Amino acid sequence: MAMRNAYIDQFPEEARVIRAALWSSFLALMIGGTLGLIQGLHRTNVLRFIPSQDYYTVLTAHGVLLVITFTIFFLVGIFTWAVTTSLDRGVKDIRFTWGWYAMMSLGTLLVGVSILGGVVDQIPMNADVLYTFYSPFQAHPAFYVGFVLFVVGTWLAGFDWFRTWWAWKKDNPDERIPLPTFMALTTMLFWYLSSIGVAISILAFLLPWSLGIIDSVNPLLTRTLFWFFGHPVVYFWLMPAYMLWYTMLPKLSGGKLFSDPLARVVFVLFLILSTPVGIHHQYLDPGIAEGFKFIAMTNTMFLLLPSLLTAFTVVASMEHGARQRGGEGYLSWLKALPWRDPAFTGMALAGLMFAAGGFSGMINAGLSINYLVHNSWWVVGHFHLTVGTAVALTFMAASYWFIPQLTGKEIWNRSLGLVQVVLWFIGMTFMSNAMHRAGLFGIPRRTAEPQYEGFSFDPAVGTVAEIDAQVALGAALLTLSVYLFITNMVLTTIGGSTSDAIPDNTYAGTLSGPEDSPAIIDNLKLWTSIAVVLVIIAYSLPLASIIDAGGLFGPGIDPWKPSVVVDPSLVLESVRGVMP
Amino acid sequence: MRISKGGLLVIMAFLTPLIVELRTVLSWFGIRLSVVETGALGLALIVAVLIWAMWPSNGDTEAKLA
Ligand code: HEM
Ligand SMILES: [Cu+2]
């Protein structure tokens, strides 16, 4: 056998866990995408085959499966690849690795079944709470327990990567942290910091409330705790995509990463700034003073910086690659890029759409202009460009490189892969553009039937019917794209033949390496402390005033006399009451 | 061919947002296109790009790239 050096040859055990994680992710994508089509057709009244009452069950499943299950399972797989590859050592104990994977899967199962209960009579559960799940919506306890298991699973995954790095550091005391590991670790640090918010929200309030242990909660408090986590989670989705843009795109373009120090600065900025901005999702919430919202807006605008730095660095690296391949001229070098490669083209198109998403995001982020688009379909258009394309399309594109690495097999049909990523771009252009436009003239999001009697929306150009047609067309193309992707992956994995021609498992080299940056950049403790201080500044006063005004458990409810402490048998009673 | 087939495919895809939003832009100048007119304009653009891409480039150096 030829000397093949793919990931599966270097780390066969880890490759199995990563494969399992990616397949969990793909399954969620397939189901979630199908539900997206149902929503798109239902809302536009092109085809309605579910009763509108079931719409929220579908929408909850779509949201949770895509932005929690699909993205995060992919993340844990890819970060495991990044850490082991760049440290050139396996995880400490593969049983532990399988352990967190199993925990995340169990959590997903509980969440999935409880949501499914909304449409299947045989399952006596209900969790039509949307993926944001703050009160006053209440889910079956299994939903919250599943969610907690899933998140704790990711915490353990992070611990797995940290201890692999600690072991490496012992052997290499004077070396800089390799870039992919640096990216995974900084991402995990802000994930730990921010998921504390959702953990408190669930364990202290929502779960006891759903179990009947406490009678009420303070809705504004659970909302604020959710968004404490809910904004950083968007960067949790995005960071693996950024990592792929920094470490894979330059390599696929045939060149090197323009600047390693700049990439590190970007990830440090995300670590510091991801969390103290969540209140920008609550610009319209009464009960939070404008001043706090203004602080959140300022921090948010600073967050544009690392994304602009990324755009610059990644495009510069691509240009370097193109010139290595013989590209010339001001713009003609673009022709020298490997457009036939679905991994490259998908990631490049994803980055392009992210630029558009960034622009509509700036509108969302402005405290005053946000009133124009808040809770409208504009917002849905926005995040289908960001998480729905920048992240999702990057993940699909990267799979055309990773699945051969993890299976030792060639992609079943690369041309189909190219068609698939291009189809996503076209479908999303139609769907997302029309959603943005719809939002501008006031069509709301999260509604099964957005048409009203005695009232009609007034588009600036064209008609509502044309907008609806674009959404339905876009949704159909996107779903087709998902199915082409899944087909390709399945046939590669089960049908594909093992090949010796799989490229070596490497990532991009750098034009300017880590030695060009001061060592302080690698001081994770320092950046984490700054992040914590910023969070305290941004959140302590708002939280204090929310609790002061509305009570920990709702207005006028004395938190120190919860009924359960008085009579434990009541707890048992209430637990039994909700058991299926 | 002036560019690779993959490159051509990407350019075609990139025309989609341009065509879709061209209509909005034109409306600012008081030019209101119907859906059919937009479609026709889009088709014309696609044909133009196809012709440009298929036209043999002089010297044929660029065709070797990518
Ligand atoms: C086949 C592709 C997809 C289609 C056709 C689709 C369609 C839709 C539609 C029509 C809505 C709006 C529902 C409403 O406002 O009433 C929606 C919401 C949403 N989509 Fe998608 N989508 C797709 C892919 C994705 C992907 C890949 C992601 C993320 C990775 C995503 C995340 C979301 C989220 C978070 C919501 C909001 C849910 C809520 O309001 O609670 N979608 N989708
Ligand atoms: Cu946000």
Side-chain angles (χ1 to χ4, degrees):
Chain A
M1 195 171 151
M3 284 295 288
R4 197 183 63 175
N5 206 11
Y7 187 79
I8 188 174
D9 307 314
Q10 303 168 333
F11 301 103
E13 292 288 322
E14 284 81 358
R16 287 178 59 201
V17 190
I18 300 177
R19 274 202 312 265
L22 294 199
W23 275 107
S24 311
S25 159
F26 296 163
L27 185 66
L29 175 65
M30 190 175 78
I31 304 174
T34 311
L35 299 175
L37 180 62
I38 296 178
Q39 290 157 206
L41 298 178
H42 192 98
R43 285 196 43 133
T44 55
N45 206 1
V46 171
L47 182 66
R48 287 186 171 164
F49 57 86
I50 57 163
S52 288
Q53 289 88 317
D54 288 344
Y55 187 77
Y56 287 103
T57 309
V58 172
L59 190 57
T60 305
H62 177 77
V64 170
L65 281 176
L66 287 169
V67 298
I68 305 292
T69 319
F70 161 62
T71 48
I72 297 181
F73 266 118
F74 199 93
L75 175 146
V76 293
I78 249 43
F79 276 9
T80 304
W81 165 83
V83 170
T84 48
T85 298
S86 65
L87 299 180
D88 196 19
R89 71 192 295 147
V91 295
K92 259 192 123 174
D93 181 351
I94 198 76
R95 283 169 307 179
F96 182 78
T97 308
W98 279 112
W100 56 251
Y101 169 75
M103 195 162 177
M104 288 173 67
S105 305
L106 180 67
T108 307
L109 198 71
L110 282 179
V111 168
V113 169
S114 55
I115 297 175
L116 198 65
V119 285
V120 177
D121 290 342
Q122 284 76 16
I123 305 174
M125 295 183 188
N126 201 308
D128 299 339
V129 291
L130 302 177
Y131 81 101
T132 42
F133 67 82
Y134 31 62
S135 63
F137 293 143
Q138 192 186 56
H140 187 277
F143 176 87
Y144 303 113
V145 172
F147 198 88
V148 168
L149 283 178
F150 184 85
V151 171
V152 174
T154 64
W155 290 353
L156 296 179
F159 177 68
D160 207 2
W161 305 321
F162 264 99
R163 69 176 186 173
T164 310
W165 170 58
W166 289 325
W168 175 89
K169 207 163 70 164
K170 253 201 200 130
D171 300 345
N172 305 275
D174 300 321
E175 279 194 49
R176 298 294 289 265
I177 310 175
L179 187 60
T181 301
F182 183 85
M183 292 170 161
L185 298 184
T186 44
T187 303
M188 283 318 287
L189 286 171
F190 77 70
W191 177 246
Y192 286 125
L193 180 61
S194 63
S195 41
I196 295 172
V198 81
I200 295 178
S201 173
I202 291 182
L203 295 176
F205 303 110
L206 297 174
L207 182 59
W209 177 53
S210 160
L211 285 167
I213 298 174
I214 53 175
D215 292 332
S216 70
V217 296
N218 176 344
L220 185 56
L221 182 57
T222 61
R223 281 173 71 87
T224 308
L225 286 173
F226 178 84
W227 286 120
F228 180 94
F229 152 88
H231 185 79
V233 77
V234 316
Y235 289 110
F236 198 52
W237 308 325
L238 206 54
M239 287 309 101
Y242 271 35
M243 189 186 85
L244 294 167
W245 296 351
Y246 276 110
T247 62
M248 300 307 299
L249 253 188
K251 189 174 87 99
L252 296 174
S253 318
K256 291 182 170 177
L257 174 60
F258 188 67
S259 165
D260 167 297
L262 209 53
R264 283 177 206 252
V265 168
V266 165
F267 276 73
V268 165
L269 283 171
F270 279 119
L271 163 56
I272 294 176
L273 288 170
S274 284
T275 316
V277 297
I279 289 178
H280 70 207
H281 291 266
Q282 299 177 281
Y283 284 155
L284 251 69
D285 278 19
I288 299 180
E290 295 293 296
F292 301 141
K293 295 177 180 172
F294 189 83
I295 293 175
M297 173 172 78
T298 312
N299 284 343
T300 305
M301 295 301 176
F302 273 115
L303 259 180
L304 284 173
L305 180 66
S307 286
L308 294 175
L309 287 176
T310 301
F312 169 77
T313 319
V314 172
V315 175
S317 310
M318 277 167 43
E319 179 177 347
H320 172 255
R323 296 199 187 280
Q324 295 303 107
R325 294 163 60 97
E328 282 167 355
Y330 275 125
L331 284 175
S332 303
W333 57 268
L334 282 168
K335 287 194 285 189
L337 288 169
W339 295 109
R340 240 174 254 176
D341 178 358
F344 170 81
T345 301
M347 283 195 222
L349 290 177
L352 193 65
M353 283 215 135
F354 188 56
F359 290 126
S360 72
M362 283 184 224
I363 308 285
N364 303 343
L367 179 49
S368 45
I369 202 168
N370 176 276
Y371 295 175
L372 180 69
V373 295
H374 195 85
N375 261 342
S376 77
W377 237 13
W378 166 285
V379 177
V380 184
H382 161 74
F383 60 64
H384 280 87
L385 291 179
T386 52
V387 65
T389 298
V391 175
L393 184 54
T394 297
F395 287 0
M396 287 186 278
S399 302
Y400 291 108
W401 190 82
F402 276 105
I403 290 296
Q405 287 294 321
L406 296 168
T407 57
K409 294 174 176 178
E410 291 282 4
I411 287 296
W412 175 67
N413 189 330
R414 287 171 67 83
S415 308
L416 190 67
L418 185 60
V419 170
Q420 184 262 317
V421 295
V422 169
L423 204 58
W424 188 276
F425 180 87
I426 297 175
M428 197 52 94
T429 299
F430 280 114
M431 186 171 97
S432 161
N433 181 267
M435 282 173 164
H436 277 98
R437 298 264 307 273
L440 284 182
F441 56 83
I443 293 194
R445 67 184 283 201
R446 292 182 159 174
T447 326
E449 300 179 7
Q451 71 278 8
Y452 302 97
E453 264 170 50
F455 170 82
S456 58
F457 293 105
D458 186 17
V461 185
T463 61
V464 174
E466 287 163 22
I467 293 281
D468 279 348
Q470 280 182 41
V471 169
L473 171 66
L477 296 178
L478 287 167
T479 312
L480 178 62
S481 174
V482 166
Y483 279 97
L484 290 180
F485 172 74
I486 299 287
T487 309
N488 220 339
M489 290 300 138
V490 169
L491 291 181
T492 299
T493 306
I494 59 169
S497 52
T498 309
S499 161
D500 286 343
I502 308 290
D504 288 354
N505 175 40
T506 54
Y507 54 93
T510 54
L511 287 178
S512 157
E515 63 286 351
D516 293 340
S517 64
I520 195 168
I521 297 226
D522 284 12
N523 188 337
L524 300 181
K525 285 194 188 115
L526 172 68
W527 306 124
T528 311
S529 325
I530 295 180
V532 170
V533 170
L534 281 182
V535 167
I536 294 174
I537 293 176
Y539 268 103
S540 53
L541 288 176
L543 281 176
S545 87
I546 288 168
I547 296 169
D548 193 43
L552 263 181
F553 297 91
I557 293 176
D558 187 347
W560 308 121
K561 273 186 252 150
S563 54
V564 329
V565 184
V566 192
D567 187 358
S569 67
L570 269 179
V571 186
L572 259 181
E573 197 59 32
S574 53
V575 171
R576 280 189 31 223
V578 291
M579 294 290 253
Chain B
M1 287 277 287
R2 242 169 230 270
I3 49 169
S4 68
K5 272 191 203 147
L8 181 59
L9 189 64
V10 171
I11 293 186
M12 297 298 221
F14 192 66
L15 284 181
T16 323
L18 295 187
I19 295 168
V20 170
E21 274 307 287
L22 182 64
R23 189 168 174 224
T24 318
V25 174
L26 286 178
S27 79
W28 289 339
F29 302 101
I31 306 170
R32 300 221 161 216
L33 296 184
S34 69
V35 178
V36 178
E37 285 161 345
T38 313
L41 195 66
L43 212 65
L45 255 174
I46 291 174
V47 171
V49 169
L50 274 178
I51 292 177
W52 168 82
M54 302 290 182
W55 212 262
S57 57
N58 28 352
D60 214 42
T61 42
E62 285 172 321
K64 288 200 196 89
L65 299 173

